[in-house]
Amino acid sequence: MGKQAMQAVVDDWVEAYKQDRNVALLDLINFFIQCSGCQGMVTAEMFQSLHKKDVMQKMTENFDEESGLQYKKFIAYPWILTVTWPVDVGNEDYPLIRTGPYWKKFKANFCEFIAVLVQQCQCSILYDSYLMDTIISLLTGLADSMVRAFRHTSTLAAMKLLTAVLSVRLNLDVNKHNAQRLYEVEKKRISGKRTSYRLDQLERKRKEYEHKLLEIQNMMNAIFKGTFLNRYRDVIPEVRATCIEEIGRWIETHPDAFLNDSYLKYIGWMLYDKQAEVRLKCLLGLQGIYSRKEFVSRMDLFTIRFKDRIVSMPLDKDHEVAVQAMKLLMLMSQNCEDVLSAEDCETLYQFVYTTHRPLAVAAGEFLYKRLLSHEGDEEVQPKGGGKFGASTDQLKRLIRFFLDSKLHKHVAYLIDSLWDWAGKFLKDWECMTTLLLKNAEEDGEELNDAYQSALIEIILATVREAAEGHPPVGRGAAKKILSVKEKKIQLEDCTKITEHFIMVLPRLLAKYSTDAQKVANLLQIPQYYDLDVYSTGHLEKHLDALLREMKDIVAKHSDMSVLEVSSRTYYVLCSEEIAIYSQVNRALSQLIDELMGQLNQLLDGFWQKAEGFCTDAGEISWMQSLLRRVAAFHNAHDLTKWNLCDKTLRLLVFEMEHGSLPVLIIVPALQCTYFSLLWQVVAVSENSPKETLFALGREMRRFSQICMHFLHHKDKDVKEKAFLILCDWLLILSHQDANNNEEAVGLLDYLPSTSLQEKLLLFIQENVFMGEEEESKDLTEEEERKDESCQLDNLREKRSLLAAYCKLIAYNVVEMTAAAEIYKYYVKTYNDFGDIIKETLSKTRHNNKIQSTKTLIICLQQLFQAHAESHDSSGGLDFFSASFANMKELARRFSLTFGWDPVKSRESVAMIHKEGIEFAFQGANGVHGKCLPPNLSFLLIISEFSNKLLKPDKRLVYAYLQRYVAEPLPCRGDEWQPLISYRNSLLANEDEESSVLGSSGEWSPVSTSKTPSFKRKLSNGSLPETSRTEATRKAPEPQCASQLASAAGKSRKRLKSQEMHLQERLPFLCPGGLRGRDCKDEIKTEEVSEEGQAEDTAEDVDVDVGGADQDS
């Protein structure tokens, strides 16, 4: 509805009010009641017709059991209103809480209607002492209702009414001020005369405005005291949020009346509210207040009282609350002098490193405006700063902050947080490189080593941010889709980066060529170039300079981080689509020729030695560096033509036969062989000859045997590298397609044998899980503190090993049942490896639900058997031992992985119970034997999965359990407690619980009969002591009994069809070993239970059948 249409509706109502105000007011009252979602009736009686005592007795809200209606009586002066509505109108669904655009628009129109109503009435009937009194009484009475819909709707209406009345007061203040000025002017103009008609008219006008203001003030007080003071602490968060939102608006629009501690305290108190929605409204209201400097001076007491709370709110668990808190602190920092201490600011600065980007950006604004940017930076140049004085000063402050924060690896997060606010000076790469190229001898202002390293990291982060245009990894769910304007800026930045660093980067590499960390960062910059600039700008000479520096760096460094970055940069530059390909490819070939020539010369000299291999330390170190360089380049480039595989394989075979090869050589030799074979597998085409494929297959199997042998190597680095390579190798070979060459796939296919799978699993157990236990036992607390960084590196390596093996399970390279050994450590190592194990479980379940479920059962059974064997000597199982508690906790964690939808996991959970029951009764003396089964305690374990069963499935599992239990069965001892507990878990939320144990201590027959129960929750939360309805249910009449029997007859048919359907879906109902023997007993039991179902209500059967129909 548009505003004009709404004004027309209000005008029509005003005209109707002027003709008959009682009828019009009753229509308005019905409007408010219906907007609450109540479809009941409203009746009215005049207040004057009743005595006060009778009136107080009428002020009730209760439930009429005879009519089945709920009613509320209250005063809306001068009336007593009675609102009646059906009892089934609950608190969970009414217009204000419904979702969707329609109901959102309804709420906006409802609020707009109240504002228009007051606006259209302000010149006529607003001050008649009847309209507003009635509306305020109505809304105040409804706001005290126990019915949520009435309370929420009337509170919103009252708050909007006060806001609208406040706007009227503002207009009256202006009119009164104007009238007062005119009165003063007129009084001075006719100062010689005793009276004046104009003066008297202005005086009457002024007094009229004062009278109206007094009435408006009374209305505001009545609404505030009658509604706000009672509802700002309401149990419903939406009501509290409405109150706080409006009081913030009142303070901002009418500070003379509301900007004082008497009203501000309510906002301050609600900053501690448990609901994020309420805290958010508080912060938004305070933002509007603190954004105006003229208000800040009047908020000193509030600021002192609640500053600490606001400073702590960026840590709020709700992201939006944290963001708005940071924005509020930014406003407080700007408009309140010294309100934030240095310690407060240091705490807030660190939020630039948070993973939630909106909060980090808000913190970036705070950091930039508070620390990095100062007024006058552009005008006042630091002494000796040159043309980059302001930017240099900002950069130094940024570097100092970065170094002081002790979070050097998070520079990408820091730059991303500042990007929206400090993009101009962060893109000043000319200033940054000028600082790096300064020499102390020439300029006297050279940065120290720490500042240089930090500045290079900042340069790389800014280049990456500008070229990629999206946040760093870990901050943001996915890559941002750039708009046309953002893409244009991105292209301009790439061009700017390329044009500047093409000329400067070779000089930077030459200056810092000996520092591995600086070089590794600088060498990543060309990966973000627009490489076409080399050819279009005729800048090939600068490319030659870059390639020369890169070649020198490769020759100087053997650090893998530098070599891998160099290899990656060569790969980016050596793209066949660009014009500089031939130039870069020629330089790369020359580099590899030199490396391979040196390696061949060294190897030839070694093999020619009489002892077979030289062990000179210098030569071993030189060979290691050469192999590391070749391995780094072989990862990104195909070096097959240099025939590297034969040379490295010979080294590995020598180590297998003699075991005297230095460890420094084994690891890079393994990597070189691995990369060489991978490139050969990738090169397989449709036309590859069989001889080549056979030879490649032999080399692959030979390399696999070498890796298997190295799994038992004495050196930790060697065996871990062999394991990782072997896992990746098996994963690639089991999923390669050899360019659609089926014959090649058959020849090169390599699946791990059973023995290899066992070796891999044993390696994980010894080096990931068992190794953890040993270390935790051997190390003291003091040693753990000293070696914390070493332990973190060790944990990272173990996570890599476990992840590599779990990938083999997830992609069906090894048997899925091998995961059972991994799952055993889920609870014990949850903090270190819980995420990896949980993801493995999720992947295997996605591949094959049934097989994954069997793996879970196998895991629990193996743990139970180990627990039972360890307690054999003690004469029985200990249910309170740590190992048994761990099993139950593991089962509970497994149960949680099935999610909240039991329909999706129905078959899997049913199979867990079937397999668990069969395992629990293994070893019993016959199916109906009375001896205690040795595995009976396993029922306590699978009871953790009972809550994942659908209601019909619980009955079927219970029926399946009864086949293993003789009735009656003595169960007085504690040894049968697992069976009792498991049976109770299947009967949870059922009225069958009363039949668990008979009075004589024997199992009672199965009965699914239910006693109908009905509870009616009153609005005040109490239940009647005795009602006529309950008495009727206790002694049903013959007619009711016949109807119940008829309904039960229908229920039996529906239940039987439901169970037949479930038998088709759940095969465990009649297992192969029991199907022929127990069919008659099963049918007989069904008939008995159907007779027992005669007392079931039709409602319960409908629920069950509905659950069954979901699967059909």
Side-chain angles (χ1 to χ4, degrees):
M1 179 182 291
K3 189 170 184 179
Q4 293 182 352
M6 190 173 294
Q7 288 178 349
V9 171
V10 173
D11 290 340
D12 293 340
W13 182 86
V14 172
E15 292 299 324
Y17 179 86
K18 290 178 180 179
Q19 296 177 6
D20 190 340
R21 62 184 187 180
N22 290 333
V23 175
L25 270 176
L26 194 59
D27 289 339
L28 184 62
I29 291 170
N30 272 295
F31 167 77
F32 283 115
I33 298 298
Q34 291 175 4
C35 285
S36 301
C38 176
Q39 303 300 322
M41 298 184 299
V42 181
T43 57
E45 52 185 321
M46 296 306 293
F47 173 71
Q48 292 85 349
S49 64
L50 295 171
H51 297 290
K52 184 176 181 181
K53 183 177 180 181
D54 297 331
V55 170
M56 297 308 295
Q57 291 176 353
K58 291 284 187 179
M59 303 303 105
T60 58
E61 179 176 346
N62 212 330
F63 170 67
D64 188 350
E65 298 171 359
E66 296 182 3
S67 61
L69 298 176
Q70 196 161 340
Y71 65 88
K72 177 179 177 63
K73 291 189 177 184
F74 58 96
I75 293 179
Y77 187 85
W79 293 338
I80 295 177
L81 299 177
T82 303
V83 184
T84 308
W85 68 95
V87 70
D88 58 352
V89 177
N91 290 330
E92 294 78 16
D93 184 27
Y94 55 93
L96 290 186
I97 63 172
R98 290 175 186 165
T99 57
Y102 176 83
W103 297 109
K104 184 178 181 181
K105 190 175 181 181
F106 166 83
K107 182 178 179 180
N109 288 336
F110 179 70
C111 299
E112 181 68 21
F113 171 80
I114 296 173
V116 173
L117 177 65
V118 174
Q119 180 184 2
Q120 297 301 102
C121 296
Q122 64 178 331
C123 298
S124 54
I125 61 176
L126 190 66
Y127 310 100
D128 65 352
S129 300
Y130 190 82
L131 171 64
M132 291 302 293
D133 289 351
T134 304
I135 294 178
I136 292 173
S137 297
L138 169 71
L139 297 179
T140 303
L142 289 177
D144 288 334
S145 173
M146 298 296 292
V147 180
R148 173 177 177 173
F150 289 157
R151 200 164 69 254
H152 188 183
T153 307
S154 60
T155 302
L156 175 64
M159 296 299 100
K160 293 297 181 182
L161 181 65
L162 180 51
T163 303
V165 169
L166 187 58
S167 65
V168 174
R169 173 174 174 167
L170 293 176
N171 294 332
L172 288 175
D173 281 335
V174 174
N175 293 335
K176 177 188 173 183
H177 179 69
N178 293 336
Q180 182 66 30
R181 290 180 58 189
L182 289 174
Y183 178 82
E184 297 293 336
V185 171
E186 188 68 18
K187 188 176 180 180
K188 289 180 181 180
R189 190 174 64 84
I190 58 173
S191 58
K193 300 180 181 180
R194 296 197 45 99
T195 60
S196 171
Y197 172 77
R198 175 67 176 166
L199 197 62
D200 293 341
Q201 185 182 25
L202 290 174
E203 178 69 15
R204 288 194 301 272
K205 198 75 171 177
R206 185 173 61 85
K207 290 183 178 180
E208 179 186 351
Y209 287 140
E210 290 178 352
H211 176 70
K212 289 183 177 180
L213 281 172
L214 182 60
E215 289 195 19
I216 289 293
Q217 185 63 42
N218 292 334
M219 296 176 194
M220 292 168 56
N221 291 336
I223 298 174
F224 186 83
K225 295 178 180 179
T227 304
F228 179 88
L229 290 182
N230 295 327
R231 299 276 69 83
Y232 85 96
R233 294 176 298 178
D234 195 277
V235 68
I236 305 174
E238 292 88 347
V239 175
R240 302 198 300 272
T242 299
C243 294
I244 295 302
E245 181 181 12
E246 292 305 315
I247 196 175
R249 187 175 287 115
W250 303 337
I251 295 173
E252 187 176 356
T253 57
H254 205 295
D256 293 337
F258 289 96
L259 186 56
N260 55 66
D261 295 325
S262 298
Y263 295 97
L264 286 169
K265 64 183 180 182
Y266 299 112
I267 299 180
W269 290 343
M270 300 313 287
L271 287 171
Y272 296 89
D273 195 275
K274 293 182 179 180
Q275 294 295 324
E277 180 184 2
V278 182
R279 301 194 299 272
L280 181 62
K281 295 299 182 184
C282 294
L283 294 171
L284 293 175
L286 290 174
Q287 285 180 17
I289 299 171
Y290 276 102
S291 62
R292 300 173 63 175
K293 288 187 177 181
E294 61 271 20
F295 292 172
V296 173
S297 60
R298 301 163 63 179
M299 298 183 65
D300 293 339
L301 185 60
F302 176 87
T303 303
I304 294 172
R305 169 66 178 81
F306 295 103
K307 185 205 74 171
D308 292 340
R309 170 59 181 163
I310 298 173
V311 170
S312 69
M313 292 186 75
L315 290 170
D316 197 282
K317 63 181 180 181
D318 185 85
H319 290 319
E320 187 60 26
V321 172
V323 172
Q324 298 305 326
M326 185 62 72
K327 292 181 178 179
L328 173 60
L329 288 165
M330 181 71 249
L331 294 173
M332 294 174 64
S333 173
Q334 289 178 330
N335 298 327
C336 303
E337 294 183 1
D338 301 328
V339 67
L340 297 177
S341 64
E343 293 77 11
D344 295 334
C345 293
E346 289 296 329
T347 301
L348 297 174
Y349 292 156
Q350 300 305 315
F351 284 96
V352 295
Y353 296 108
T354 185
T355 56
H356 183 60
R357 192 173 192 273
L359 177 58
V361 171
E365 179 188 9
F366 184 84
L367 173 64
Y368 177 69
K369 293 182 179 179
R370 182 87 184 182
L371 182 66
L372 303 181
S373 176
H374 294 297
E375 294 182 3
D377 270 354
E378 299 296 331
E379 293 81 9
V380 181
Q381 303 290 342
K383 186 176 180 180
K387 70 173 183 175
F388 303 117
S391 296
T392 300
D393 188 41
Q394 285 182 321
L395 277 173
K396 289 181 178 180
R397 289 198 294 267
L398 177 61
I399 295 171
R400 189 180 304 113
F401 167 77
F402 174 56
L403 293 177
D404 292 343
S405 65
K406 308 298 182 182
L407 294 171
H408 306 288
K409 295 182 180 179
H410 295 74
V411 64
Y413 279 19
L414 172 61
I415 297 302
D416 181 61
S417 302
L418 293 169
W419 195 254
D420 294 344
W421 311 104
K424 181 178 179 181
F425 96 86
L426 289 178
K427 293 180 183 180
D428 194 353
W429 294 295
E430 185 179 359
C431 171
M432 297 179 188
T433 53
T434 301
L435 277 176
L436 287 175
L437 291 172
K438 279 185 177 180
N439 294 320
E441 296 79 7
E442 300 173 1
D443 305 298
E445 294 184 4
E446 186 179 15
L447 300 175
N448 60 34
D449 184 71
Y451 272 55
Q452 289 174 348
S453 298
L455 182 55
I456 290 175
E457 290 186 48
I458 291 172
I459 291 175
L460 176 60
T462 56
V463 168
R464 183 188 293 114
E465 186 86 17
E468 294 181 347
H470 59 78
V473 177
R475 178 177 284 179
K479 291 185 178 181
K480 182 175 65 173
I481 300 177
L482 302 179
S483 62
V484 176
K485 182 179 179 180
E486 290 173 334
K487 288 182 179 179
K488 182 180 178 182
I489 295 175
Q490 181 185 13
L491 293 175
E492 291 175 353
D493 288 341
C494 284
T495 303
K496 182 180 176 182
I497 290 168
T498 307
E499 291 176 347
H500 176 72
F501 283 98
I502 274 179
M503 301 179 182
V504 176
L505 185 60
R507 295 166 57 193
L508 290 173
L509 291 174
K511 180 176 180 180
Y512 299 105
S513 60
T514 57
D515 192 312
Q517 181 183 357
K518 296 185 179 71
V519 167
N521 289 324
L522 289 172
L523 281 176
Q524 296 181 52
I525 296 177
Q527 300 176 15
Y528 304 98
Y529 280 1
D530 179 7
L531 297 176
D532 292 330
V533 174
Y534 274 115
S535 56
T536 57
H538 305 289
L539 301 173
E540 287 81 1
K541 63 177 182 179
H542 295 288
L543 177 61
D544 289 335
L546 174 63
L547 294 175
R548 283 196 303 271
E549 296 298 333
M550 291 178 63
K551 182 178 179 181
D552 292 341
I553 289 170
V554 172
K556 290 179 181 178
H557 294 275
S558 60
D559 185 82
M560 285 304 295
S561 61
V562 177
L563 297 176
E564 288 174 355
V565 170
S566 302
S567 175
R568 174 65 183 172
T569 303
Y570 270 112
Y571 176 79
V572 173
L573 295 175
C574 196
S575 178
E576 297 181 0
E577 292 79 13
I578 57 178
I580 61 174
Y581 167 73
S582 58
Q583 186 176 356
V584 179
N585 187 54
R586 183 169 56 253
L588 177 62
S589 298
Q590 292 175 357
L591 174 61
I592 300 300
D593 283 338
E594 292 180 7
L595 293 176
M596 292 304 300
Q598 296 173 5
L599 181 61
N600 290 332
Q601 182 179 359
L602 198 57
L603 285 175
D604 292 340
F606 283 166
W607 295 123
Q608 290 175 1
K609 302 286 183 180
E611 60 273 17
F613 200 85
C614 180
T615 57
D616 179 75
E619 292 180 342
I620 293 298
S621 176
W622 178 235
M623 176 174 288
Q624 179 210 13
S625 63
L626 287 174
L627 286 173
R628 288 165 68 93
R629 292 184 178 92
V630 174
F633 277 88
H634 211 345
N635 189 8
H637 306 273
D638 186 4
L639 309 183
T640 307
K641 63 180 181 180
W642 280 275
N643 196 21
L644 179 65
C645 185
D646 293 341
K647 301 178 179 62
T648 54
L649 267 178
R650 185 178 179 184
L651 287 174
L652 298 177
V653 171
F654 180 86
E655 169 63 17
M656 286 181 61
E657 294 175 351
H658 300 86
S660 59
L661 196 65
V663 174
L664 296 176
I665 296 178
I666 300 175
V667 174
L670 274 171
Q671 289 179 303
C672 289
T673 310
Y674 172 58
F675 294 140
S676 179
L677 290 175
L678 283 183
W679 280 109
Q680 294 181 49
V681 172
V682 171
V684 171
S685 63
E686 296 181 3
N687 300 324
S688 298
K690 285 188 178 181
E691 293 77 9
T692 304
L693 296 177
F694 278 120
L696 179 57
R698 285 194 302 270
E699 289 185 350
M700 289 165 49
R701 282 183 282 274
R702 189 180 180 189
F703 180 66
S704 300
Q705 293 174 357
I706 292 174
C707 291
M708 290 173 59
H709 175 79
F710 285 155
L711 291 179
H712 306 286
H713 199 277
K714 59 184 178 180
D715 186 78
K716 177 184 175 183
D717 294 336
V718 172
K719 61 183 181 181
E720 288 184 354
K721 177 60 69 175
F723 180 83
L724 291 173
I725 289 177
L726 186 58
C727 289
D728 291 343
W729 183 243
L730 294 174
L731 185 63
I732 293 172
L733 294 183
S734 61
H735 289 78
Q736 51 91 21
D737 57 3
N739 296 326
N740 298 321
N741 188 345
E742 296 182 0
E743 185 177 5
V745 171
L747 291 173
L748 301 181
D749 191 20
Y750 184 79
L751 291 176
S753 62
T754 304
S755 61
L756 177 55
Q757 295 185 36
E758 292 176 354
K759 291 180 180 179
L760 294 175
L761 179 58
L762 182 62
F763 183 89
I764 287 293
Q765 291 176 326
E766 293 178 349
N767 295 275
V768 176
F769 298 118
M770 300 301 179
E772 181 74 19
E773 295 177 1
E774 292 173 3
E775 289 180 12
S776 62
K777 292 178 182 178
D778 295 337
L779 293 177
T780 63
E781 293 183 3
E782 185 176 354
E783 290 173 339
E784 287 179 358
R785 255 184 261 111
K786 292 180 180 180
D787 298 338
E788 183 178 355
S789 61
C790 180
Q791 289 180 13
L792 289 175
D793 292 339
N794 192 24
L795 176 60
R796 180 184 56 81
E797 294 173 358
K798 289 182 177 181
R799 286 176 58 85
S800 299
L801 296 175
L802 181 60
Y805 181 74
C806 288
K807 281 192 292 185
L808 299 182
I809 299 174
Y811 291 98
N812 300 318
V813 180
V814 301
E815 293 293 336
M816 192 180 296
T817 53
E821 295 293 333
I822 305 297
Y823 295 160
K824 292 178 183 179
Y825 301 95
Y826 182 46
V827 175
K828 190 183 300 183
T829 62
Y830 184 81
N831 292 333
D832 294 337
F833 311 116
D835 55 337
I836 299 175
I837 299 176
K838 188 175 181 180
E839 183 65 19
T840 305
L841 200 158
S842 176
K843 290 286 187 182
T844 54
R845 183 172 295 158
H846 181 267
N847 295 339
N848 191 326
K849 287 184 178 181
I850 300 300
Q851 189 63 29
S852 176
T853 305
K854 288 182 179 179
T855 305
L856 298 183
I857 284 291
I858 292 173
C859 173
L860 294 174
Q861 289 175 353
Q862 290 177 353
L863 285 174
F864 182 85
Q865 289 173 341
H867 173 77
E869 292 174 0
S870 63
H871 287 75
D872 277 346
S873 59
S874 61
L877 293 178
D878 183 6
F879 299 152
F880 301 99
S881 63
S883 59
F884 196 84
N886 288 335
M887 276 191 291
K888 283 184 65 69
E889 176 63 17
L890 181 60
R892 189 187 70 85
R893 298 283 183 95
F894 286 163
S895 175
L896 292 176
T897 61
F898 286 105
W900 295 104
D901 188 358
V903 177
K904 293 182 179 179
S905 58
R906 186 179 192 184
E907 190 175 0
S908 299
V909 175
M911 192 182 72
I912 288 177
H913 284 274
K914 171 186 176 294
E915 298 285 344
I917 292 172
E918 292 177 354
F919 177 76
F921 286 93
Q922 279 181 3
N925 186 15
V927 176
H928 296 295
K930 294 186 179 182
C931 68
L932 182 70
N935 299 333
L936 188 66
S937 301
F938 192 73
L939 294 177
L940 290 175
I941 306 298
I942 62 172
S943 64
E944 297 291 339
F945 298 90
S946 296
N947 62 339
K948 296 298 180 181
L949 284 170
L950 291 173
K951 187 176 179 181
D953 296 347
K954 285 187 177 181
R955 297 174 181 169
L956 298 174
V957 171
Y958 179 79
Y960 188 69
L961 175 66
Q962 290 302 107
R963 298 196 183 113
Y964 289 91
V965 179
E967 296 181 359
L969 180 65
C971 53
R972 288 190 176 90
D974 292 340
E975 64 272 9
W976 292 98
Q977 189 60 39
L979 180 58
I980 299 173
S981 300
Y982 180 59
R983 190 172 188 267
N984 289 342
S985 71
L986 296 177
L987 299 178
N989 300 323
E990 300 273 353
D991 291 337
E992 295 168 316
E993 292 178 353
S994 60
S995 64
V996 172
L997 282 175
S999 58
S1000 61
E1002 296 180 349
W1003 289 96
S1004 60
V1006 183
S1007 174
T1008 55
S1009 62
K1010 298 182 181 180
T1011 303
S1013 59
F1014 177 76
K1015 292 182 180 179
R1016 207 177 248 124
K1017 184 177 180 181
L1018 297 184
S1019 57
N1020 59 0
S1022 63
L1023 291 173
E1025 295 179 2
T1026 315
S1027 67
R1028 191 177 311 171
T1029 324
E1030 290 177 354
T1032 305
R1033 283 200 301 271
K1034 291 178 182 178
E1037 297 179 359
Q1039 183 180 359
C1040 296
S1042 62
Q1043 292 175 354
L1044 186 60
S1046 176
K1050 297 178 181 178
S1051 302
R1052 287 197 299 269
K1053 296 179 181 179
R1054 300 172 69 179
L1055 183 60
K1056 186 173 182 179
S1057 63
Q1058 169 201 347
E1059 292 186 350
M1060 291 176 62
H1061 172 75
L1062 289 172
Q1063 289 175 12
E1064 296 175 359
R1065 295 302 304 270
L1066 302 176
F1068 69 80
L1069 282 176
C1070 199
L1074 300 175
R1075 188 178 303 273
R1077 180 171 49 192
D1078 291 341
C1079 272
K1080 295 181 181 180
D1081 295 337
E1082 180 182 349
I1083 296 173
K1084 183 177 180 180
T1085 304
E1086 287 181 359
E1087 291 175 355
V1088 172
S1089 63
E1090 287 170 7
E1091 293 176 1
Q1093 289 285 345
E1095 297 179 6
D1096 278 2
T1097 60
E1099 179 184 359
D1100 292 331
V1101 179
D1102 287 340
V1103 172
D1104 294 342
V1105 174
D1109 291 341
Q1110 291 178 3
D1111 290 340
S1112 58

